């Protein structure tokens, strides 16, 4: 082992009363937990993903009091009284948020593991900048790593969702041209 | 066959679950009373554990056990399988064989307590001299048979007289190329949840192959395979590293048995570097020579890659040289060396991606030497039949890929001389390369079941890695059963289902797709037989050949019809099911089967900073039938972006003194991110291939990466005049 613990975790429990996806939550958790583990293990909200616990991959992004944060780097003790939005809180009822719908339609979710963090980061972006350009989208999502899609579907989905949110017609998902009937096309 | 569903770009079935956060990955499955396991891994690369002090860890609140070789239960069997399975270290002895090897596991009631307990474990080890440098072991390099495409292949192959061919050409290139260690780094770390009930074991594992996990655990724990159930409904990326059950899978099951509680165990990002494989470094030599007209007179491709001291993996970089270009003289050689590292393994396009960098770079160098268009050079030695054995290709549309790609990309605008074109102060360069990947096909089974409500349930124990398996197999079944797409449910990821091969080698669509096709066809035929013997059916007494399946009904040529709902109701109201299986047949002996493609890349290189930006890529691929253009496009886009990562970023850098990977997190191990991606356009030339497999599919997951890094490297040469023969192409190499 090459890592040395800095302190022994406190055995004290923490009363954590905060708001998650608009719902008040009041629970007692071990005071050493991260927000990520409280969400996943205590509240069962496993949509927020555990990818690196180092603040590098972006899979655990949530919105905390309007700010985009990496929940693996936020201690639970920082959270009483605050308000968190996770991927589970994006939709209202059965209807998907336009971002969710566009991610599904554009194939922006492939293995799906980066998707929740990507969606939350995109929501944060569009909340502040409803007319985000492609460049601004790429910049804002640069802390979110995806290993599957090749990113273009994600840009397309965020752009399309932005248009939908603004009440503009959104372009249909891009499909590659398939030239058919080429057999042994020498 | 009607293809109302196959070929349609349906959106991913599992998309909704993934965008809402409802999709549960292995670690997230709710298992009551589960506790948390965290691995302690070795800080040295070689040696023996003399003393392991777990007392401080064990004293901590909430800690259930700290298990090391001192107190781990002895496994009654060897947890190792024949075939592409990796040898694991499951706390059975005191030996340290590589850095980051699991040497203990701390189990506690919360994740953080387990992490803390793992940190409190103190290890006193006797350190032995190690080497992680390929150069130190070259004198011990040896050939070994290669596990590729589901069979063992010879390390060396040669035909003609390569030495004579090399001097017979008008121009010749003989150069050394190198690709680095790479690490898969799926976003979801490896994770296992193991739960015992008596001598029955249930495992939720981040896996590409639940059947291998099941057999391996059964063998290791000495229990019948039917006592083990492995479930994998969603995988957060894999790329090869989840193709084998590594040490932590066995350790999770072992810990669960010892603490008599279900154990959840995930690797940290640091622990992804070493104990779960990676693409090994390659040192390759390529010699190619050609006549003035571009006809190749010789190809020689040699490669050396490392494996571990205790297991064998061969990065088969020189295999494609046997099949890609026509030449009377071709030689390929693979050697491996043993190092004190964790065993490398299959990583997306194993062999083809690293090997194509060398071969396709050499072809570009040869074209430059001949003052020939690189595309014209490739066309001059276009292989009409497989150069290795003279077999015809089951289908090959590479020429059309070159032509369409060149047209879409604007290849004719390529700067003729390097360093001759600039845009906004950046050098512009264009490069191309060929893509080739074998059309693999493995035995697979599936089950199709017609339900009383007239909808179908189809299943096979394959995995959806994000590829689209949930979606495309429902499309295939829908066509065979004459049902709309919405009426077919496809389920997967459970070892209690019909057996499927590893979800790897770009063979799932071909293998499982064919099994689904066969099972669905069998079910349809069974339903037809049921109808014609049923005196109450409008189809009673007809010949099966007169009947087809359409819109949830069996329809006779006369127009008479019977619905599935009615048919099943009259037959007793129980679901009717059939199983189907497929396996490679004689056709594999008669034909050479590969997917092909052509990459074209444009780069911008900053002359002052040496930074490379891939501004544009066009890839044209011919890989049999395209089941779903939307999910296929994602596979190719992802593959091409992996090409950017391979060309410019990815490198697991070893600290040779400490014998470990230094770049062991995502801030040091760079993968392509948003800002690295310019315009990328994959397109398909669809082929009708009657020989390759019943589904007519050649595979999509890996072809997009093959040749991609070479196209970028060739574009960098075109931009700068600098030939970088060692990946990744980082700014320091261009300044």
């Amino acid at each position: 082992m090459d890592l040395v613990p800095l302190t022994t975790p406190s055995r004290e429990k923490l009363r954590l009363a905060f708001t998650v996806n608009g719902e008040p939550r009041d629970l007692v958790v071990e005071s050493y937990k991260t927000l990520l583990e409280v969400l996943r293990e205590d509240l069962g909200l496993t949509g927020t993903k555990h990818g690196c616990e180092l603040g590098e991959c972006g899979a655990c992004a949530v919105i905390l009091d309007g700010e985009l944060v990496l929940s693996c780097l936020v201690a639970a003790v920082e959270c009483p009284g605050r308000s968190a939005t996770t991927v589970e809180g994006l939709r209202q009822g059965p209807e998907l948020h336009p971002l969710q719908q566009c991610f599904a339609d554009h194939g922006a979710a492939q293995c799906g593991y980066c998707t929740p963090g990507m969606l939350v980061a995109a929501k944060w972006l569009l909340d502040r900048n409803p007319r985000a350009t492609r460049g601004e989208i790429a910049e804002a999502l640069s802390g979110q790593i995806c290993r599957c899609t090749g990113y273009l579907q994600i840009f397309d989905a965020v752009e399309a969702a932005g248009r939908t949110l603004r009440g503009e017609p959104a372009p249909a998902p891009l499909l590659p041209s398939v030239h058919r009937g080429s057999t042994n096309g020498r | 066959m009607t293809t109302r569903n196959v070929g349609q770009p349906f959106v991913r079935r599992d998309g909704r679950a993934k965008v809402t956060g409802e999709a549960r990955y292995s670690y997230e499955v709710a298992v009551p009373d589960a506790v948390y396991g965290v691995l302690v891994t070795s800080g040295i690369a070689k040696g023996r554990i003399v003393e392991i002090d777990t007392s401080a860890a064990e004293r901590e609140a909430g800690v259930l056990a700290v298990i090391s070789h001192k107190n781990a239960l002895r496994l009654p069997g060897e947890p190792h399988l024949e075939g592409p399975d990796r040898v694991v270290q499951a706390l059975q002895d005191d030996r340290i064989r590589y850095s980051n090897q699991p040497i203990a596991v701390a189990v506690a009631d919360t994740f953080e307590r387990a992490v803390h307990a793992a940190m409190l474990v103190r290890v006193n080890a006797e350190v032995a001299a190690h080497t992680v440098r390929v150069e130190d072991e070259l004198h011990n390099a040896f050939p070994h048979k290669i596990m590729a495409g589901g069979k063992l292949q010879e390390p060396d192959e040669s035909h003609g007289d390569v030495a004579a061919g090399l001097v017979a050409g008008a121009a010749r290139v003989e150069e050394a190329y190198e690709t680095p260690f790479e690490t898969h780094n799926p976003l979801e770390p490896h994770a296992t949840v193991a739960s015992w009930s008596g001598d029955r074991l249930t495992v939720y594992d981040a896996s590409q192959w639940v059947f291998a996990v099941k057999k391996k655990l059964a063998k290791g724990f000495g229990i019948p395979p039917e006592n083990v159930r492995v479930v994998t409904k969603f995988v957060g990326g894999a790329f090869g590293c989840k193709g084998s059950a590594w040490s932590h899978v066995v350790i999770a099951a072992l810990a669960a048995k010892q603490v008599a509680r279900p154990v959840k165990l995930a690797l940290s990002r640091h622990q992804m570097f070493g104990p779960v494989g990676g693409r090994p470094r390659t040192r390759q030599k390529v010699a190619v020579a050609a006549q003035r007209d571009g006809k190749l007179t010789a190809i020689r491709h040699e490669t050396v890659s490392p494996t571990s001291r205790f297991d064998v993996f061969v990065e088969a970089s020189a295999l494609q040289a046997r099949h890609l270009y026509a030449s009377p003289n071709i030689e390929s050689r693979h050697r491996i060396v043993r190092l004190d590292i964790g065993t490398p393994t299959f990583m997306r396009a194993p062999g083809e991606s690293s090997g194509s960098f060398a071969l396709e770079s050499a072809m570009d160098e040869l074209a430059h030497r001949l003052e020939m268009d690189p595309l014209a050079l490739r066309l001059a030695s276009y292989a009409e039949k497989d150069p290795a054995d003279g077999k015809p290709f089951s289908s090959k549309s590479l020429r059309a890929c070159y032509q369409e790609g060149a047209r879409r990309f604007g290849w004719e605008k390529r700067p003729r001389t390097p360093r001759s074109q600039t845009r906004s102060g950046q050098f512009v360069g264009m490069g191309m390369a060929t893509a080739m990947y074998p059309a693999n096909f493995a035995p697979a089974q599936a089950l199709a079941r017609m339900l009383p409500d007239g909808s179908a349930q189809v299943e096979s124990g394959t995995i959806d890695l994000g590829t689209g398996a949930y979606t495309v197999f429902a499309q295939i079944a829908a066509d065979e059963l004459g049902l709309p797409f919405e009426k077919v449910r496809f389920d997967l990821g459970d070892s209690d289902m019909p057996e499927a091969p590893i979800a790897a080698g770009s063979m799932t669509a071909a293998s499982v797709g064919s099994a689904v096709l066969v099972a669905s066809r069998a079910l349809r035929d069974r339903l037809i037989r049921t109808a014609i013997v049923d005196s109450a059916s409008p189809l009673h007494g007809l010949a099966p050949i007169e009947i087809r399946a359409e819109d949830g009904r069996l329809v006779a040529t006369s127009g008479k019809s019977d619905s599935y709902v009615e048919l099943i109701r009259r037959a007793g109201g129980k679901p009717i099911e059939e199983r189907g299986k497929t396996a490679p047949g004689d056709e594999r002996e008669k034909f050479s089967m590969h997917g092909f493609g052509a990459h074209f890349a444009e780069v911008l290189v900053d002359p002052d900073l040496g930074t490379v930006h891939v501004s544009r890529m066009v890839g044209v691929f011919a890989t049999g039938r395209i089941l779903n253009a939307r999910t296929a496009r994602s596979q190719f886009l992802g593959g091409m972006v992996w090409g950017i990562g391979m060309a410019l970023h990815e490198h697991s850098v070893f600290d040779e003194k400490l014998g470990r990977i230094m770049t062991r997190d995502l801030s040091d191990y760079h993968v392509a991110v948003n800002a690295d991606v310019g315009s990328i356009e994959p397109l398909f030339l669809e082929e009708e291939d009657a020989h390759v497999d019943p589904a007519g599919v050649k595979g999509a997951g890996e072809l997009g990466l093959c040749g991609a890094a070479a196209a970028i490297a060739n574009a960098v040469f075109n931009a700068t005049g600098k030939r970088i023969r060692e990946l990744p192409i980082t700014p320091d190499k261009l300044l």
Side-chain angles (χ1 to χ4, degrees), chain B residues 445-447 458-462 490-493 497-500 512 516:
Chain B
Q445 302 176 30
L447 179 152
V458 182
E459 59 187 44
S460 173
T462 185
F490 181 79
D491 202 6
L492 51 73
M497 292 176 177
E499 185 158 351
V512 179
V516 165

Side-chain angles (χ1 to χ4, degrees), chain A residues 2 32 37 40-41 49 51 56 91 94 100 105 109-111 141 147 151 153 155 179-180 184, chain B residues 12 16 18-19 22 25 28 36 110 184 269 395 466 630 634 642 650 664 666-667 672 674 684 686:
Chain A
D2 55 340
Y32 50 74
E37 295 306 316
R40 284 170 62 83
E41 303 297 328
K49 299 305 177 199
E56 294 168 351
R91 66 171 157 155
Q100 293 172 308
D105 291 348
Q110 198 161 312
C111 88
L141 298 183
R147 191 71 160 143
Y151 296 109
Q153 307 94 312
F155 301 158
H179 299 242
R180 292 182 196 281
N184 293 325
Chain B
R12 186 183 300 280
R16 188 181 170 94
K18 286 172 173 172
V19 299
E22 284 162 3
Y25 296 74
E28 299 162 355
Y36 299 80
T110 69
H184 303 74
R269 186 56 60 181
S395 59
R630 193 186 312 256
S634 271
W642 267 58
E650 296 191 36
R664 50 186 184 159
L666 293 168
S667 61
N674 288 286
F684 308 118
E686 192 165 45

Side-chain angles (χ1 to χ4, degrees), chain A residues 24 31 108 122 140:
Chain A
S31 57

